Amino acid sequence: HHFGLKLKSCLTTFNWGAGYYLIVPPRYAESVCQIGGMLGYDMAYVGDTRKGPRQVVFKPGNITLHPE
C-alpha cells in the first residue's frame, strides 16, 4: 500500500500517465517501441491481447479487472 491506497484501487482510479495504447501483432512490438523511441516518444511494452473474456490481468499484483 502506498499513501493508504490498495493497488486495485489505484488500477481502477488512475490512468498511470498512459496517453495511448498501440495494439500491434506481437512480432512487431519491439520494433514499434524502438521506432517510437527514436521519434521521441516514451514507449513500453505493457502486455498482450488474447482471445477470451474481456478482462485485464495485472500480473504483478495478481489482479483481474472486468469491464463494468
Side-chain angles (χ1 to χ4, degrees):
H1 301 107
H2 297 285
F3 307 109
L5 298 172
K6 292 185 177 183
L7 180 57
K8 186 172 181 176
S9 294
C10 291
L11 291 171
T12 59
T13 303
F14 304 110
N15 74 1
W16 299 81
Y20 297 96
Y21 291 96
L22 299 175
I23 307 210
V24 299
R27 67 182 177 273
Y28 298 126
E30 185 177 338
S31 297
V32 167
C33 286
Q34 288 177 350
I35 292 167
M38 290 186 307
L39 294 172
Y41 294 98
D42 290 327
M43 306 287 288
Y45 173 79
V46 296
D48 55 70
T49 59
R50 297 180 186 168
K51 188 174 183 171
R54 290 184 59 196
Q55 63 187 15
V56 173
V57 178
F58 188 75
K59 289 185 180 184
N62 196 28
I63 297 171
T64 300
L65 303 173
H66 300 278
E68 294 186 24

